[in-house]
Amino acid sequence: MIERSPHCQATPSLPPQRADDALGRPGGDIRLLQVSAEIYPLLKTGGLADIAGALPAALATAGCDTRVLLPGLPAIRDGLRDAQAVGQFSLPWGEPVRVLRGKLPAVPGAAGSPVLAYLLDAPGLYDRPGNPYEDAQRRPYADNHRRFAALGWGAAHVARGLDPSWAPQLVHGHDWHAGLAAACLKFTAGPPVPVVFTVHNLAYQGIFSADVLGELGLPVSAFQIDGLEFHGQISFMKAGLFYASKITTVSPTYAREIQTPEQGFGLDGLLRSRRNDLSGILNAVDTTIWNPATDPLIARTYSVEQMTGKARCKAALQTEAGLQPHKDAPLFTVVSRLTEQKGLNLVLAGIDDLVQGGGQLLVLGSGDHALETAFGHAAQRHPGAVALRVGYDEAYAHRIFAGSDVTLVPSRFEPCGLTQLYGLLYGSLPLVRAVGGLADTVVDADLATLDDHTATGIVFASFSEADYRHAVRRALALYRQPRAWARVRQTGMQQNFSWAQAARHYRAVYAAALPDLSRIPT
Ligand code: ADP
């Protein structure tokens, strides 16, 4: 049943737009709108921004005419170039939104023309400094349901022709922030516009009181088990999972894990029922940004053929972090949001063993106060061997991967994980738990994989202090065998996490979601 929502005017269908668009930009054979809350390089709190930033260019290369829709958060608004208003609409509660179209800044070294972005200019919702989701006390903003319902409605309006010069055939929403897009499209009049919905992290669901349903502009019939109702509340994540045509997540293993009660966060039943529409597409690395051979942010560039620069990077990092300048001390590092998900209590429990084994530890992160404090105490206990930088620092993260020997990612769960990929490419062996995308991207160093040169890191199985500590001991032992270490490092640096391949997979999902295009070669 198609119901019509009073505040969203249906517009006539646009004519087919296969050739160049009104701005003279080359058209791809699939026009699509990416919808996300953050995007590198303008605003980043985690891996979602890296993916949202890299995907449009990769998709353009794969023949998709891709634009993005973003909330008008200050950092995004300030970074958009040549912005001009293309239309406006009213939100269900009456607030007006201007939609601007502009260009995203080009990433240095990236080829291709700038990506076009639509921005929701709604200062009442977005004009707040700092974190996009929380206030200074780290409490979610009380009106987050409105702030991200606006993103869903914005997607529906752009998809229904708000910009007279371009409309997508398909919407691709990322995480719960974009979860309402498919529901908004379903409950407004107009030709069907398929939505592909990607789960970057099922732990964050956008759950709100049922009391706000009236504000969302969706019919009461949406509030049921076959809809966005979740244990008596509203779940934006569930809306995305339920109403989207196709669902993807960011690694094949996570796609399986989220169908289990252990990792399904209460949505495993729905995900199992949609398993034929669910696929796992491994995240990739934007090597215009993350490449030790060209990285302008590190002390000395290096490559698998010429590794001397890495030692310089390590020495510089030890000095910068206040660690003893021991070139032979294996340097373990963490670059992470400090949350329970990341298994950092294991790292804390293993610090004394790590230091007694001759290792050093450097942590860059922010988040949970208890974890910040605990790492701070560890740094005081082990001056010169353990260091902590609280905060978010993109350039420092590059210097850390370049100077590090081991990248620690002992996560409790990990949809894909990017830091282990950066560790691999920068010659910092990942030490990871075998979960989610970590299991898909790191090959444990054992006798067989050392022998056949497929080992790329250290992998442990169960989320226990004993298993983690054993993994650290194995890393220390491997480090004492320089030839074996160098070989594992070399294999890791030669891994290819290409966006071209990921983009081809996404394109195949888009083609499957667009029935009349299913014969487009993928
Ligand atoms: P998640 O998205 O769960 O945070 P990912 O590993 O997928 O984890 O992505 C994390 C991204 O955020 C990486 O690009 C990582 O380098 C970056 N990052 C995390 N914490 C920090 C920090 N404190 N400073 C700089 N970059 C960080």
Side-chain angles (χ1 to χ4, degrees):
M1 183 182 68
I2 304 277
E3 294 174 49
R4 192 184 171 99
S5 172
H7 53 273
C8 181
Q9 296 299 312
T11 52
S13 321
L14 297 183
Q17 301 169 35
R18 287 253 167 161
D20 291 2
D21 67 16
L23 300 174
R25 296 164 51 87
D29 58 11
I30 299 179
R31 294 186 312 279
L32 75 120
L33 184 70
Q34 300 275 332
V35 186
S36 70
E38 45 186 278
I39 191 161
Y40 181 88
L42 298 180
L43 179 66
K44 169 171 164 179
T45 70
L48 170 63
D50 286 347
I51 305 314
L55 197 50
L59 288 169
T61 312
C64 300
D65 174 6
T66 310
R67 299 187 182 185
V68 299
L69 174 72
L70 300 161
L73 296 157
I76 298 178
R77 192 194 53 216
D78 296 348
L80 198 68
R81 292 190 290 113
D82 305 334
Q84 52 174 286
V86 290
Q88 59 185 32
F89 66 94
S90 289
L91 287 162
W93 53 94
E95 188 164 355
V97 180
R98 261 189 346 145
V99 179
L100 310 183
R101 186 187 60 218
K103 294 180 191 143
L104 293 176
V107 173
S113 41
V115 173
L116 290 186
Y118 296 99
L119 178 124
L120 301 181
D121 184 25
L125 296 176
Y126 302 127
D127 204 358
R128 301 166 198 184
N131 186 293
Y133 316 113
E134 301 170 339
D135 64 19
Q137 284 71 46
R138 299 205 170 132
R139 286 181 310 232
Y141 291 118
D143 58 350
N144 268 351
H145 62 286
R146 288 185 170 197
R147 301 172 75 235
F148 294 104
L151 201 57
W153 280 113
H157 282 276
V158 174
R160 296 244 181 268
L162 179 134
D163 178 352
S165 68
W166 186 90
Q169 296 157 290
L170 180 128
V171 171
H172 182 175
H174 295 271
D175 263 351
W176 74 264
H177 323 111
L180 239 48
C184 297
L185 276 162
K186 176 173 169 59
F187 292 110
T188 49
V193 179
V195 174
V196 173
F197 182 66
T198 295
V199 178
H200 293 261
N201 194 335
L202 199 61
Y204 301 94
Q205 298 193 351
I207 292 182
F208 303 102
S209 160
D211 299 342
V212 305
L213 185 69
E215 295 178 54
L216 302 183
L218 295 171
V220 175
S221 63
F223 189 69
Q224 56 168 311
I225 189 157
D226 286 336
L228 50 69
E229 186 268 344
F230 185 67
H231 299 289
Q233 296 183 293
I234 292 165
S235 164
F236 279 33
M237 177 65 88
K238 189 176 170 208
L241 297 177
F242 185 81
Y243 291 110
S245 306
K246 298 284 174 195
I247 302 166
T248 74
T249 187
V250 288
S251 70
T253 294
Y254 195 59
R256 289 190 297 276
E257 289 170 347
I258 56 178
Q259 296 178 53
T260 67
E262 296 75 40
Q263 295 234 34
F265 290 96
L267 291 166
D268 45 292
L270 171 56
L271 285 158
R272 279 196 301 280
S273 76
R274 299 223 52 194
R275 62 184 167 277
N276 293 335
D277 293 316
L278 168 65
S279 51
I281 301 177
L282 197 64
N283 280 339
V285 173
D286 188 340
T287 48
T288 56
I289 300 162
W290 294 99
N291 179 356
T294 54
D295 192 334
L297 300 172
I298 63 180
R300 182 68 67 88
T301 55
Y302 58 93
S303 65
V304 76
E305 292 83 25
Q306 180 48 269
M307 286 298 290
T308 47
K310 178 141 182 97
R312 291 288 296 272
C313 290
K314 178 171 175 179
L317 182 61
Q318 286 171 319
T319 305
E320 179 174 7
L323 295 168
Q324 284 155 3
H326 295 160
K327 70 177 175 35
D328 294 327
L331 175 50
F332 293 69
T333 59
V334 173
V335 176
S336 184
R337 293 183 295 118
L338 301 184
T339 64
E340 218 221 318
Q341 172 196 340
K342 300 292 181 179
L344 297 165
N345 53 328
L346 298 185
V347 176
L348 283 165
I351 283 181
D352 291 349
D353 286 3
L354 189 153
V355 172
Q356 274 155 27
Q360 299 181 335
L361 174 68
L362 169 59
V363 176
L364 167 64
S366 64
D368 185 310
H369 282 307
L371 286 169
E372 289 178 8
T373 308
F375 279 111
H377 287 153
Q380 282 167 1
R381 245 189 7 257
H382 300 288
V386 176
L388 167 69
R389 166 92 65 97
V390 174
Y392 190 95
D393 187 334
E394 189 77 19
Y396 196 31
H398 282 246
R399 297 196 294 279
I400 290 178
F401 289 112
S404 157
D405 294 306
V406 180
T407 295
L408 294 173
V409 200
S411 302
R412 193 179 281 281
F413 65 93
E414 193 60 74
C416 177
L418 290 173
T419 54
Q420 85 280 11
L421 305 184
Y422 301 152
L424 285 167
L425 299 182
Y426 280 69
S428 171
L429 273 54
L431 186 158
V432 305
R433 189 162 97 80
V435 70
L438 301 171
D440 292 336
T441 53
V442 184
V443 177
D444 185 41
D446 63 19
L447 286 177
T449 58
L450 285 169
D451 185 55
D452 68 12
H453 297 194
T454 54
T456 58
I458 305 285
V459 184
F460 67 100
S462 83
F463 192 82
S464 70
E465 288 181 18
D467 265 32
Y468 169 75
R469 284 204 173 106
H470 187 65
V472 170
R473 279 177 50 206
R474 289 172 54 215
L476 291 166
L478 186 62
Y479 191 78
R480 286 193 291 271
Q481 300 178 42
R483 286 186 55 189
W485 183 271
R487 195 179 308 138
V488 176
R489 189 171 66 180
Q490 181 180 17
T491 307
M493 292 178 75
Q494 288 168 330
Q495 299 299 301
N496 179 10
F497 301 106
S498 129
W499 266 115
Q501 193 181 338
R504 277 196 298 277
H505 284 141
Y506 278 113
R507 200 189 133 84
V509 173
Y510 301 151
L514 288 165
D516 52 330
L517 290 184
S518 57
R519 286 178 23 242
I520 287 181
T522 52

